[in-house]
Amino acid sequence: MLTVSHPPPSASCVSLAASLLQGWRHAGITMAEGDDLQAFTSIMDALVRISTSMKNMERELLCPVCKEMYKQPVILPWFGTYPGRKRGTAQSQTVLFPCPFCQHDVDLGERGLGNLFRNLTLERVVERYRQTVNISSAIMCQFCKPPQQEASKGCTECRASFCNECFKLYHPWGTQKAQHEPTPPTLTFRPKGLTCPDHKEEVMLYCKTCQRLVCQICRVRRTHSSHKITPMVSAYQALRDRLGKSIAYIMGSQLIVQGQISELEESMRHTELNGAKALEEALQLIGALRSVLDEKQAALTRDIAERQRERRCVLEAQVWERQALLENSGLVSYAQEVMKETEQPCFILAAKQLHERIIRAIESVQSFRSAACAPLPPFKMDVSRELKLLTELNFVRAPDAPVIDTQRTYAYDKIYLSWRLPQDSPPAWHYTVEYRKTDPKHNALKLWQRREEIWSLSTILEGPDTDSVYVLRVKGYNKAGYGEYSEDIYLHTPPAPVLNFFLDSSCGFPRDRLVVSKDRRAVRSVPGVPMLFAAERLMTSCHVSMELVLGDVAITQGRYYWECSVDPSSYVVKVGVGQENKLQELFQMPQDVVSPSRYDPDSGHDSGAEDATMDVSPAFCFLTIGMGKILQPHGSMPTSRDPSGCTVPLPPRLGVFLDYEKGRVAYFDAVSHRSLWEGSVDCSGPVCPAFCFIGGGALQLQELVSIKHERKVNIGGFTKVE
């Protein structure tokens, strides 16, 4: 674990602290008993902190090349080319010098290092540091004969340090050297001020364009004629203020930095603990595998030994039988002697029993089958799979960042979020979803809300606010811990509550040309023979008939939103809202056929608009869609020369927003939530969703998220993917 501590006090610090205490006593400063030790400790702590700070500052005073303290440092120009020279001008000879810090080549101009300013400030800092660190070291006179005296004066013109006697000796009265002004003794002599490398004049101005000190001659020369020149005092004060603010910020951020150090130390401590835990777990797992292998080895050894014993017993029994046959050789000799018997009665009595014994011996010889010929039990093992698993044995990786499926993720009445893991990602046990709503007024984000332990590749977020933008992200979890977050996805919720309705199958529409699905969420238009008759009438400038289907709700107040998907291959489909009685009059429907599920109160105010593609009453408002395009009704018909100028591509889902009180209907790309068009409708009475068809086409209402994945509808080849 990393710890930050002060270095032990040096001997000089202890000596200085003791000297300070002794000085206090001589000065008559009295302290209570025991305060000496406390004062000594306080002085030591202060000196240690000062020593640590000085040692840290020493790193800033070391040359990055030779690793020694600066002696006569110079300042490189800010730009890659020499300041003051116009880019693109002819260059006779330039000197390129690599910056010791960034290693980029810096153009020093024709004079090279002789064209740079000395960093006198850094020289003074180095000198003060040397004097602070080497408190006991004194600057000796450079002209005294041994023994040398301590220097008390310095001379910038002579670039030497003198004692009092030597200074008088080398600066006699009546000579030019007597005019030299004495300075404090030093080991490094600097000029009194900065002079221009080009004109040897004192620099009094600052060029903001070149970020360079310039003299009066430089100001009137062509190289700085068009540059922004400011007095030295202004540049000094501005830079001093900026540096002071930066230093104040750094000093005021000590607690923040200390907190960051503590955080890093805690991370290092966790790293050590996690590493030790991982090592212990790895050793335990390898030990468990080794134990399993040892047990398996012992079991296989016992199995082999048992089978060997059984096999040996069988073979030993056969050996005993064969040995018995060898013993029958005496029987054969006895039989041969019996064959010598000439008396027939006696031979019969002896040979009958002897013959049976010989027959049994013959059968044993003929029927012998060695047990060694029988197949042995299989002792071969296939460990290729196990070897592969052991070779691939490694630490478990956390899941990769999930990839959100933007085609299946959307915001409707609820937010449905779907994702997957990359192909080569380790598996995840479960997932965590985080989401928050943006605040466009304050250009800020609210706190993350979290849904943990989601065991599937999708989830539903309940109760989102309307007309809001949500940011969502996902991360996976397994034995190795949490993986990286997915890329943030932004979803715009609908501008109003979602209206759930079904298609009204009792509107009186012609069933031979319009087919509504069983769930009443989709409709298909079949052109058939009537469309052929319509095509015939087109040649005589007759109108083509339109088929109408309505929603089974009547809207009398409030703001509502719904979505639908139109088959891109549809000929002409109109999506909108309107007053039911006006629509029935327009499409010449029977007036007595009214859906019993619609309520018809008397409310609303007068407002309306016309569809730009048809001369219809303002009591309804439609958006015209055909062949994968949307006709934007801006009041002008598309010309034959440029018909594409008034159309936009049909989105996968189309959103419809109705504000009943304002009598406005807005259409959106429901995927990107981009506004497509907005019109007006007469809301002096109840209005309902309406859909019109010319020719073949199909349309599917968007289901609520809560019932989104319960069924799949297929109408005449137009499929809604669940």
Side-chain angles (χ1 to χ4, degrees), residues 516-643:
V516 177
S517 62
K518 293 182 179 180
D519 62 354
R520 297 165 56 197
R521 305 288 301 184
V523 61
R524 175 173 57 92
S525 173
V526 182
V529 176
M531 188 61 189
L532 295 179
F533 293 153
E536 179 68 20
R537 291 193 294 271
L538 283 175
M539 302 301 294
T540 59
S541 300
C542 294
H543 291 288
V544 179
S545 61
M546 296 173 57
E547 316 300 341
L548 173 69
V549 60
L550 303 177
D552 63 346
V553 294
I555 302 172
T556 59
Q557 63 179 358
R559 303 161 72 241
Y560 296 97
Y561 176 86
W562 61 92
E563 293 179 3
C564 63
S565 300
V566 178
D567 188 351
S569 62
S570 300
Y571 186 67
V572 174
V573 176
K574 289 178 171 290
V575 177
V577 296
Q579 298 182 10
E580 180 181 2
N581 56 351
K582 298 294 184 179
L583 291 171
Q584 289 178 343
E585 294 176 1
L586 176 67
F587 291 90
Q588 299 178 356
M589 290 186 174
Q591 296 298 319
D592 56 347
V593 181
V594 179
S595 173
S597 61
R598 278 195 291 272
Y599 175 68
D600 189 13
D602 186 11
S603 63
H605 73 263
D606 192 11
S607 176
E610 296 184 9
D611 186 354
T613 61
M614 294 184 58
D615 185 14
V616 294
S617 170
F620 45 81
C621 178
F622 286 108
L623 186 68
T624 303
I625 305 166
M627 304 307 293
K629 299 288 185 179
I630 295 178
L631 178 63
Q632 291 182 304
H634 293 299
S636 60
M637 293 293 293
T639 62
S640 59
R641 295 181 180 179
D642 186 19

Side-chain angles (χ1 to χ4, degrees), residues 317-366:
Q318 286 190 331
V319 170
W320 182 82
E321 290 178 358
R322 296 307 98 189
Q323 288 177 349
L325 291 177
L326 291 178
E327 295 175 357
N328 288 336
S329 59
L331 178 61
V332 175
S333 299
Y334 171 68
Q336 290 177 347
E337 292 299 327
V338 171
M339 291 292 292
K340 297 178 181 179
E341 179 64 46
T342 57
E343 293 185 4
Q344 294 181 355
C346 295
F347 178 80
I348 292 174
L349 290 176
K352 182 174 177 57
Q353 185 179 8
L354 180 61
H355 183 262
E356 292 178 357
R357 293 177 59 189
I358 292 177
I359 290 299
R360 288 196 298 270
I362 292 173
E363 291 177 352
S364 176
V365 173
Q366 292 178 347

Side-chain angles (χ1 to χ4, degrees), residues 105-167:
D105 289 336
V106 180
D107 189 355
L108 302 181
E110 300 176 2
R111 297 179 54 192
L113 295 176
N115 217 21
L116 302 178
F117 288 104
R118 284 180 61 180
N119 194 341
L120 300 181
T121 302
L122 181 56
E123 291 185 24
R124 295 189 184 97
V125 173
V126 171
E127 182 178 352
R128 287 197 297 269
Y129 177 78
R130 289 182 183 274
Q131 294 177 357
T132 303
V133 174
N134 302 320
I135 297 177
S136 60
S137 63
I139 300 176
M140 308 305 294
C141 177
Q142 299 176 239
F143 299 93
C144 287
K145 294 181 179 180
Q148 288 181 318
Q149 300 295 321
E150 183 176 352
S152 60
K153 292 182 176 62
C155 181
T156 303
E157 285 78 6
C158 298
R159 302 181 62 81
S161 296
F162 305 86
C163 64
N164 288 332
E165 297 299 328
C166 291
F167 186 82

Side-chain angles (χ1 to χ4, degrees), residues 39-346:
F40 182 82
T41 304
S42 301
I43 294 173
M44 289 298 301
D45 290 341
L47 291 176
V48 167
R49 287 194 295 270
I50 294 173
S51 177
T52 303
S53 177
M54 296 300 293
K55 288 297 181 182
N56 292 335
M57 189 181 71
E58 184 177 343
R59 293 195 297 265
E60 302 293 332
L61 306 180
L62 295 178
C63 173
V65 178
C66 64
K67 304 302 180 183
E68 295 184 0
M69 284 197 178
Y70 292 110
K71 296 179 180 178
Q72 291 187 359
V74 294
I75 300 177
L76 294 177
W78 283 94
F79 300 109
T81 60
Y82 177 69
R85 184 175 61 244
K86 294 183 177 180
R87 298 179 184 272
T89 58
Q91 302 178 14
S92 58
Q93 184 179 2
T94 59
V95 178
L96 296 179
F97 181 80
C99 175
F101 292 99
C102 64
Q103 301 302 321
H104 285 82
D105 289 336
V106 180
D107 189 355
L108 302 181
E110 300 176 2
R111 297 179 54 192
L113 295 176
N115 217 21
L116 302 178
F117 288 104
R118 284 180 61 180
N119 194 341
L120 300 181
T121 302
L122 181 56
E123 291 185 24
R124 295 189 184 97
V125 173
V126 171
E127 182 178 352
R128 287 197 297 269
Y129 177 78
R130 289 182 183 274
Q131 294 177 357
T132 303
V133 174
N134 302 320
I135 297 177
S136 60
S137 63
I139 300 176
M140 308 305 294
C141 177
Q142 299 176 239
F143 299 93
C144 287
K145 294 181 179 180
Q148 288 181 318
Q149 300 295 321
E150 183 176 352
S152 60
K153 292 182 176 62
C155 181
T156 303
E157 285 78 6
C158 298
R159 302 181 62 81
S161 296
F162 305 86
C163 64
N164 288 332
E165 297 299 328
C166 291
F167 186 82
K168 295 177 182 179
L169 179 63
Y170 285 90
H171 297 78
W173 290 99
T175 63
Q176 186 177 1
K177 288 188 176 182
Q179 304 299 323
H180 293 180
E181 295 182 3
T183 61
T186 180
L187 298 175
T188 304
F189 293 92
R190 300 175 300 274
K192 295 182 178 180
L194 290 176
T195 58
C196 176
D198 295 331
H199 309 109
K200 306 305 179 184
E201 295 286 338
E202 185 179 0
V203 291
M204 301 295 295
L205 303 170
Y206 182 75
C207 179
K208 290 186 176 181
T209 305
C210 299
Q211 299 187 18
R212 177 180 173 85
L213 297 172
V214 294
C215 64
Q216 292 290 351
I217 301 177
C218 293
R219 180 179 186 178
V220 298
R221 292 297 176 92
R222 185 176 59 183
T223 53
H224 298 279
S225 59
S226 60
H227 293 179
K228 189 173 183 180
I229 306 296
T230 184
M232 183 72 66
V233 178
S234 301
Y236 164 81
Q237 193 61 42
L239 186 57
R240 185 180 181 86
D241 292 343
R242 291 201 301 268
L243 185 58
K245 291 180 180 178
S246 300
I247 294 175
Y249 176 80
I250 292 295
M251 297 300 294
S253 303
Q254 296 301 305
L255 294 178
I256 298 177
V257 175
Q258 188 61 43
Q260 294 172 349
I261 294 175
S262 301
E263 183 179 351
L264 292 173
E265 291 178 348
E266 185 69 14
S267 299
M268 295 182 67
R269 187 180 69 84
H270 281 296
T271 300
E272 294 293 335
L273 293 177
N274 293 339
K277 184 178 179 181
L279 179 60
E280 181 182 359
E281 183 177 356
L283 294 177
Q284 290 179 353
L285 292 176
I286 297 298
L289 291 176
R290 188 178 292 110
S291 299
V292 171
L293 289 176
D294 292 341
E295 293 177 1
K296 194 64 177 178
Q297 179 181 355
L300 292 175
T301 302
R302 291 193 300 269
D303 189 19
I304 293 174
E306 181 66 21
R307 295 187 183 185
Q308 283 180 335
R309 186 186 63 79
E310 293 176 357
R311 189 65 178 166
R312 185 168 53 252
C313 292
V314 174
L315 293 176
E316 287 177 353
Q318 286 190 331
V319 170
W320 182 82
E321 290 178 358
R322 296 307 98 189
Q323 288 177 349
L325 291 177
L326 291 178
E327 295 175 357
N328 288 336
S329 59
L331 178 61
V332 175
S333 299
Y334 171 68
Q336 290 177 347
E337 292 299 327
V338 171
M339 291 292 292
K340 297 178 181 179
E341 179 64 46
T342 57
E343 293 185 4
Q344 294 181 355
C346 295

